[in-house]
């Protein structure tokens, strides 16, 4: 994931150079003004903002600065706007690729969890539903611990962290109930009570943990 996002930054940086190369000077009633290919520029802005949100966060300084920079000012031309937004994009690129963003840590964690959930899937397919449920449960509990850290909440047992996170509005009551159900499967597996849950339940557990990671970690 990190490599793909880093490559995406490189690709859009190259695209920005191509946009800059389309600059032309035109003459109007109020004097000369500079333009870039507006269709290319508009498309680039959408892709750039999407990438910044994914890597820096929806409320990050980077995306706020980009949105502010793209707003037209009196007598603005498209090249002037381009000159304002490109440095913001490059700052986000440099911070991400330099490892200076909290989201990079989350992405590294997500990649690690992906491999652990793949291991859980392999265990399940080999007939080891108990160990598979335990591995998926460890990923879930570690994610809750990270979310507590991010939201200045104390660490504790899984059910306590789950309750605290729901109360803090990190996720809703429906998600809290689902995590409670997943924790029950994990606890049964950890105590060797493998007959209390099915292969299909563990398969769905792994999928639910993957979705939870996607929604709350990256």
């Amino acid at each position: 994931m990190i490599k793909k996002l880093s490559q995406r930054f490189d690709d859009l940086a190259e695209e920005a150079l191509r946009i800059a190369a389309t600059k032309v000077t035109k003459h109007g009633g109020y004097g000369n003004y500079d333009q870039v290919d507006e269709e290319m520029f508009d498309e680039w802005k959408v892709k750039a903002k999407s990438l910044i949100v994914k890597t820096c966060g929806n409320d990050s300084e980077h995306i706020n600065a980009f949105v502010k920079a793209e707003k037209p000012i009196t007598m603005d031309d498209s090249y002037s706007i381009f000159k304002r937004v490109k440095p913001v994009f490059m700052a986000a690129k440099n911070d991400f690729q330099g490892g200076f963003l909290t989201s990079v840590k989350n992405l590294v964690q997500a990649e690690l969890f992906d491999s652990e959930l793949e291991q859980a899937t392999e265990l399940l397919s080999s007939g080891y539903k108990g160990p598979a449920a335990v591995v998926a449960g460890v990923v879930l509990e570690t994610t809750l611990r990270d979310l507590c850290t991010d939201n200045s909440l104390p660490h504790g047992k899984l059910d306590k962290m789950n309750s605290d996170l729901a109360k803090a509005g990190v996720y809703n009551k429906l998600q809290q109930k689902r995590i409670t159900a997943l924790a029950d499967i994990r606890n049964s597996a950890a105590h060797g009570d493998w007959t209390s849950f099915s292969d299909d339940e563990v398969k769905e557990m792994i999928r639910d943990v993957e979705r939870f990671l996607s929604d709350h970690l990256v």
Side-chain angles (χ1 to χ4, degrees), residues 169-186:
V170 177
Y171 46 75
N172 59 31
K173 290 289 185 180
L174 184 62
Q175 180 66 70
Q176 180 187 2
K177 289 181 180 179
R178 183 53 186 157
I179 289 175
T180 298
L182 297 178
D184 287 343
I185 296 175
R186 192 282 304 267

Side-chain angles (χ1 to χ4, degrees), residues 1-14 51 89 93 96-97:
M1 176 65 74
I2 291 177
K3 288 182 178 178
K4 287 182 179 179
L5 292 173
S6 182
Q7 183 60 53
R8 183 63 167 166
F9 267 116
D10 289 340
D11 291 344
L12 289 181
E14 288 291 330
L51 182 58
F89 172 80
K93 175 180 182 293
F96 176 78
Q97 294 180 336

Side-chain angles (χ1 to χ4, degrees), residues 17-83:
L17 292 177
R18 292 195 291 272
I19 292 171
T22 68
K23 172 191 169 186
V24 293
T25 300
K26 296 188 176 182
H27 308 284
Y30 296 97
N32 297 341
Y33 61 97
D34 296 321
Q35 292 280 85
V36 293
D37 186 302
E38 294 192 8
E39 184 175 344
M40 288 177 62
F41 185 33
D42 287 343
E43 183 179 337
W44 180 86
K45 283 189 294 182
V46 171
K47 292 185 288 188
K49 284 190 289 187
S50 175
L51 182 58
I52 291 172
V53 168
K54 286 180 182 177
T55 54
C56 303
N58 196 43
D59 57 352
S60 64
E61 291 184 11
H62 299 80
I63 191 60
N64 290 335
F66 193 101
V67 170
K68 182 179 179 180
E70 73 172 334
K71 289 182 179 178
I73 305 173
T74 304
M75 303 297 292
D76 245 349
D77 54 49
S78 59
Y79 184 64
S80 297
I81 298 173
F82 175 73
K83 286 194 298 181

Side-chain angles (χ1 to χ4, degrees), residues 8 82 105 117-118 130 136 178 180 206 210 212 215 217-218:
R8 183 63 167 166
F82 175 73
K105 170 185 172 293
L117 290 174
E118 287 172 4
R178 183 53 186 157
T180 298
I206 294 170
E210 287 178 336
F212 185 70
D215 290 340
L217 188 57
V218 179

